């Protein structure tokens, strides 16, 4: 199967109506700009006196001056609005009334277009992801009735037919069908759903019909949390964005000093007005936010939740990627393949008691032990006492017997002598001790996650220098997995705190480290890494909270997609600053100093960088991004 970012969403311009963004306040702004422009043209044709032009300029300039003064008082920052106000007033008082009016009108048009398209990009987040229905069909004892979604409560049974969107998070009570979960996972292939399986609000039933027991409604649904996370992502500014803001804040005073020096040397007001136009830092303010919004929206549509530009830029610069093993590089479908009993106890009894001890554990290997006992028809009783030991296993009391189930370290630390590890064949040995004596091994095997080797190779192609696996599993099993995937370095038998220390050591060596894990067991390490990536976050609130980037499915191609989007976004910001701001403005300043252009031509040319920055930024919503074009192969034989 081929996975590519060319399967991208359509442009936001196709999904967000311009009419919906044209509020009453915006229409007033359009009228104010038009009025000022018409009066400036009329004065130029000597149809109105200069007093009328002054009045029109005052009307047009008022919102800019107001916003600039508020920013100056509250944030002690000389912003673009103050800069434009000064430029317009200098032109008017310097005898360039028409140029000043035209300058202000064109700047107002540029600002209007920038604000409108920034809001359009923000609105595209919701439109790209989709929406949830406002009314649900509820099944009751008296029949079926339509109920506003806001009135639904947990336990209500909702009926959803083919072609309809699911309004709630819940579980299938009755029926079966195919559900398109692209709004949550970014996957275009519908998933079959049957009784007991989870479904999400905002997804579409493409075949069959489902009776769904409501679990979460409205703001508590996974869909609502995705929207909230993506919308709040703008708050976590990228370092390059903060740098652009800082440059804009100190550039204005520097520019004013430069202009004063030019005026003292030339006494040419016309040249000063022209230079004022080309030294405006407005485009610096646009260079990064639009890119970040577009990139985050693009990623969200692909089932990748990025919590801010900070993490987007960091992911683009990462040179070391650290992976957890179980459930990340492996398919997380472990199965019991062999039971090796010791002493006088039978294999069935070892497995039965181990399953009883593991009943309350959420670890994948514990689940495999419980499932293995059930498949063999063994009934595992409820333990009388239970204790989970981090990175070791469990201690339990079952039918009055002390049972230890876990790795060799658990037995050693509990004073139980265990024999040497079984022969390394890729299986993970789960050690079992009963009443202080070693009782045997349960060998568990898993398969490598489909596409894992190709995904890691693609990460290397994008500039990742080292790929490391950290695991709490034994060294023999970890080595088999690493060899199967071509991993550079393996560290096994680690506790959660050991993983944190390993990441800290890499960072002290000057590396930018990303950790890819399950988002729950790896929470401390995710927090320590420069960027933490949680896989399979759909339906897992803890993963959404713990990670900086959440992949809504267990597809490793998503991490490659995320890095490709991040790298393209960072490159786009560099293009905006260098071409859209640097080259165009420097050319304009040189032309102004040489007297090649005047204020009106400069004001018209000033629209160029704004348009360039905008077009270059929003193309991220639809342009093909190279980086995910490998074919997944069948997974290797059983390994862990």
């Amino acid at each position: 199967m081929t996975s590519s970012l060319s399967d991208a969403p359509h442009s936001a311009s196709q999904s967000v109506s311009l009419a919906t963004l044209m509020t009453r306040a915006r229409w007033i702004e359009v009228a104010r700009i038009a009025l000022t422009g018409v009066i400036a043209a009329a004065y130029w044709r000597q149809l109105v006196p200069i007093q009328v032009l002054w009045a029109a300029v005052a009307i047009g300039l008022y919102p800019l001056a107001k916003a600039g003064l508020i920013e100056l008082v509250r944030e002690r920052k000389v912003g673009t609005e103050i800069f434009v106000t000064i430029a317009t007033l200098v032109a008017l008082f310097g005898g360039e009334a028409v140029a000043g009016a035209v300058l202000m009108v064109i700047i107002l048009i540029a600002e209007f277009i920038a604000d409108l398209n920034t809001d359009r990009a923000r609105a595209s987040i919701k439109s790209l992801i989709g929406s949830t229905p406002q009314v649900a069909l509820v099944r009751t004892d008296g029949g079926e009735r339509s109920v506003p979604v806001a009135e639904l409560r947990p336990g209500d049974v909702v009926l959803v037919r083919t072609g309809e969107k699911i309004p709630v998070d819940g579980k299938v009570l009755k029926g079966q069908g195919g559900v398109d979960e692209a709004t949550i996972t970014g996957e275009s292939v519908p998933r079959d759903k049957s009784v007991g399986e989870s479904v999400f609000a905002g997804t579409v039933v493409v075949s069959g019909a489902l009776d769904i027991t409501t679990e979460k409604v409205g703001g508590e649904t996974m869909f609502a949390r995705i929207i909230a996370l993506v919308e709040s992502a703008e708050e976590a500014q990228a370092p390059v964005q903060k740098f652009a803001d800082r440059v804009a804040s100190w550039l204005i005073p520097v520019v004013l000093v430069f202009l004063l020096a030019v005026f003292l040397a030339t006494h040419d007001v016309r040249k000063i007005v022209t230079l004022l136009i080309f030294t405006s830092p407005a485009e610096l303010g646009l260079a990064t936010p639009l890119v970040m919004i577009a990139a985050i929206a693009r990623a969200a549509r692909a089932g990748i939740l990025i919590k801010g530009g900070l993490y987007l830029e960091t992911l683009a610069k990462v040179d070391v990627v650290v992976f957890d093993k179980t459930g990340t590089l492996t398919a997380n479908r472990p199965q019991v393949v062999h039971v090796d009993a010791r002493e006088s106890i039978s294999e069935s009894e070892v497995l039965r008691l181990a399953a009883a001890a593991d009943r309350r554990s959420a670890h994948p290997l514990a689940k495999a032990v419980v499932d293995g006992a059930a498949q063999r028809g063994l009934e595992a009783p409820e333990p009388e006492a239970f204790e989970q030991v981090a990175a070791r296993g469990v201690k339990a009391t079952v039918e009055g017997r002390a049972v230890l189930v876990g790795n060799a370290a658990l037995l050693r630390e509990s004073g139980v002598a265990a024999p040497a590890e079984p022969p390394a064949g890729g299986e993970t040995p789960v050690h079992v001790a009963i009443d202080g004596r070693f009782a045997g091994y349960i060998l568990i095997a898993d398969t490598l996650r489909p596409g894992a080797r190709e995904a890691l190779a693609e990460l290397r192609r994008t500039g990742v220098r080292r790929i490391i696996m950290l695991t709490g599993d034994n060294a023999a099993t970890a080595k088999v997995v690493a060899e199967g995937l071509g991993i550079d370095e393996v560290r096994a038998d680690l506790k959660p705190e050991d993983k944190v220390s390993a990441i800290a050591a890499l960072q002290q060596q000057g590396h930018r480290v990303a950790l890819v894990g399950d988002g729950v067991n790896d929470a401390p390490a995710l927090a320590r890494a420069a960027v933490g990536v949680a896989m399979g976050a759909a339906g897992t609130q803890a993963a959404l909270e713990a990670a900086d980037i959440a992949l809504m499915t267990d597809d490793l191609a998503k991490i490659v997609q995320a890095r490709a989007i991040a790298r393209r976004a960072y490159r786009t910001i560099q293009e905006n600053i260098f071409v859209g701001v640097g080259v165009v403005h420097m050319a304009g300043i040189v032309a102004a100093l040489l007297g090649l252009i005047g204020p009106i031509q400069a004001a018209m040319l000033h629209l160029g960088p704004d348009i360039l920055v905008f077009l270059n930024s929003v193309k991220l919503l639809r342009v093909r991004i190279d980086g995910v074009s490998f074919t997944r192969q069948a997974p290797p034989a059983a390994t862990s």
Side-chain angles (χ1 to χ4, degrees):
M1 183 172 67
T2 300
S3 176
S4 174
L5 280 178
S6 59
D7 302 325
H10 296 295
S11 167
S13 60
Q14 296 173 334
S15 52
V16 180
S17 170
L18 187 61
T20 61
L21 298 176
M22 288 302 296
T23 60
R24 182 173 178 271
R26 281 211 165 95
W27 281 115
I28 293 174
E29 180 70 12
V30 169
R32 181 167 49 240
I33 294 171
L35 175 65
T36 307
V38 168
I39 292 176
Y43 174 76
W44 179 56
R45 301 295 295 176
Q46 298 183 346
L47 299 177
V48 296
I50 193 169
Q51 291 83 359
V52 175
L53 179 63
W54 276 88
V57 170
I59 292 172
L61 205 56
Y62 171 73
L64 284 176
K66 179 182 177 182
L69 288 172
I70 290 174
E71 187 176 44
L72 182 63
V73 172
R74 292 182 179 176
E75 301 182 23
R76 298 182 180 179
K77 174 180 167 184
V78 179
T80 303
E81 292 81 5
I82 288 288
F83 196 87
V84 173
T85 301
I86 293 172
T88 304
L89 294 176
V90 167
L92 292 174
F93 286 113
E96 295 287 342
V98 175
V102 172
L103 162 64
M104 188 196 68
V105 169
I106 292 179
I107 295 297
L108 285 173
I109 291 172
E111 292 289 316
F112 178 81
I113 292 172
D115 289 343
L116 184 66
N117 284 304
T118 298
D119 286 348
R120 196 174 190 177
R122 288 192 182 104
S124 73
I125 291 172
K126 283 187 177 180
S127 67
L128 283 168
I129 296 175
S131 60
T132 55
Q134 301 303 308
V135 178
L137 189 61
V138 178
R139 193 187 293 279
T140 64
D141 294 337
E144 300 167 2
R145 60 189 180 92
S146 293
V147 175
V149 170
E151 297 179 9
L152 292 176
R153 297 291 180 267
D156 289 344
V157 177
V158 176
L159 172 61
V160 186
R161 300 187 179 95
T162 299
E164 296 177 347
K165 283 190 176 182
I166 297 173
V168 298
D169 284 4
K171 282 190 166 57
V172 177
L173 178 65
K174 186 166 49 174
Q176 58 183 23
V179 178
D180 180 357
E181 295 186 331
T183 54
I184 301 293
T185 65
E187 298 293 333
S188 58
V189 179
R191 300 186 64 179
D192 292 332
K193 298 290 182 178
S194 56
V195 175
E197 294 193 73
S198 296
V199 292
F200 303 106
T203 57
V204 181
V205 177
V206 295
S207 64
L210 303 173
D211 282 10
I212 300 166
T213 302
T214 300
E215 293 181 342
K216 295 180 180 179
V217 182
E220 297 181 353
T221 62
M222 178 61 63
F223 180 86
R225 291 185 59 77
I226 291 173
I227 292 290
L229 283 172
V230 175
E231 287 182 334
S232 64
E234 226 179 318
E235 298 173 7
Q237 288 189 329
V240 69
Q241 187 171 348
K242 293 179 180 178
F243 173 74
D245 290 344
R246 287 197 302 270
V247 169
S249 66
W250 61 254
L251 183 62
I252 291 175
V254 170
V255 164
L256 292 176
V257 171
F258 166 70
L259 293 174
L260 179 61
V262 173
F263 178 74
L264 292 174
T266 65
H267 298 285
D268 188 344
V269 174
R270 183 180 176 84
K271 182 168 291 185
I272 296 302
V273 174
T274 306
L275 286 171
L276 271 167
I277 296 167
F278 279 115
T279 49
S280 167
E283 290 76 21
L284 272 177
L286 291 175
T288 55
L290 270 175
V291 177
M292 292 304 175
I293 294 168
I296 289 168
R298 175 72 177 267
R301 185 59 185 87
I304 303 165
L305 299 188
I306 301 174
K307 292 187 179 179
L310 168 63
Y311 310 114
L312 196 69
E313 181 179 342
T314 303
L315 183 61
K317 296 179 177 180
V318 157
D319 62 342
V320 174
V321 179
V322 175
F323 285 90
D324 178 43
K325 181 181 73 68
T326 306
T328 303
L329 295 173
T330 60
N332 203 20
R333 290 189 292 270
Q335 295 180 333
V336 173
V337 294
H338 181 67
V339 179
D340 184 0
R342 303 295 171 91
E343 302 294 334
S344 59
I345 192 169
S346 68
E347 294 179 357
S348 296
E349 186 67 2
V350 168
L351 183 58
R352 186 182 74 87
L353 292 175
D358 273 337
R359 281 188 57 167
R360 297 183 186 177
S361 174
H363 195 282
L365 297 182
K367 187 177 184 301
V369 171
V370 174
D371 291 345
Q375 290 167 5
R376 290 163 173 77
L378 302 175
E379 184 175 347
E382 185 71 22
E384 294 98 62
F386 172 86
E387 179 188 354
Q388 183 89 39
V389 183
R392 292 295 183 260
V394 302
K395 297 180 179 181
T397 302
V398 180
E399 297 176 343
R401 308 176 76 178
V403 181
L404 302 177
V405 183
N407 55 25
L410 174 68
L411 271 63
R412 287 196 301 270
E413 293 168 6
S414 301
V416 177
E421 295 282 340
E427 299 88 357
T428 299
V430 174
H431 300 69
V432 182
I434 300 172
D435 291 332
R437 300 184 66 179
F438 178 70
Y441 297 109
I442 299 173
L443 298 182
I444 297 177
D446 198 353
T447 57
L448 297 182
R449 189 171 295 283
R453 187 178 183 88
E454 293 79 10
L456 268 55
E458 192 70 16
L459 284 174
R460 285 193 180 88
R461 193 189 67 79
T462 64
V464 174
R465 296 178 182 177
R466 292 169 65 187
I467 295 177
I468 299 171
M469 183 175 74
L470 304 181
T471 179
D473 209 341
N474 67 83
T477 301
K479 183 179 179 182
V480 172
V481 173
E483 290 174 350
L485 296 176
I487 290 173
D488 302 316
E489 186 178 336
V490 181
R491 302 181 191 180
D493 296 309
L494 300 181
K495 295 180 181 179
E497 55 267 31
D498 297 329
K499 294 182 181 180
V500 173
S501 299
I503 291 171
L506 288 167
Q507 291 171 330
Q508 289 172 0
Q509 295 169 16
H511 294 294
R512 292 186 178 95
V513 183
L515 173 71
V516 185
D518 61 14
V520 181
N521 298 326
D522 300 309
L526 284 169
R528 186 66 180 86
V531 56
V533 183
M535 287 182 58
T540 308
Q541 181 172 334
L544 285 176
E545 298 295 339
D548 303 317
I549 298 175
L551 312 181
M552 302 308 290
T553 67
D554 288 327
D555 184 0
L556 278 171
K558 296 290 185 187
I559 183 63
V560 184
Q561 283 185 318
R563 180 165 166 86
I565 292 171
R567 282 164 56 85
R568 184 57 177 264
Y570 189 62
R571 192 180 79 189
T572 301
I573 290 171
Q574 292 174 316
E575 292 169 353
N576 285 350
I577 293 174
F578 180 71
V579 180
V581 181
V583 173
V584 175
H585 279 232
M586 287 304 299
I589 290 170
V590 171
L593 288 172
L594 295 175
L596 301 177
I597 57 174
I600 294 178
Q601 298 96 317
M604 295 178 69
L605 289 172
H606 185 271
L607 279 173
D610 284 341
I611 295 171
L612 282 174
V613 167
F614 166 70
L615 292 177
N616 197 43
S617 300
V618 298
K619 74 181 182 183
L620 277 172
L621 290 168
R622 63 180 183 272
V623 71
R624 177 185 174 88
I625 301 177
D626 294 329
V628 188
S629 57
F630 54 88
T631 302
R632 296 181 192 150
Q633 300 174 353
T639 56
S640 181

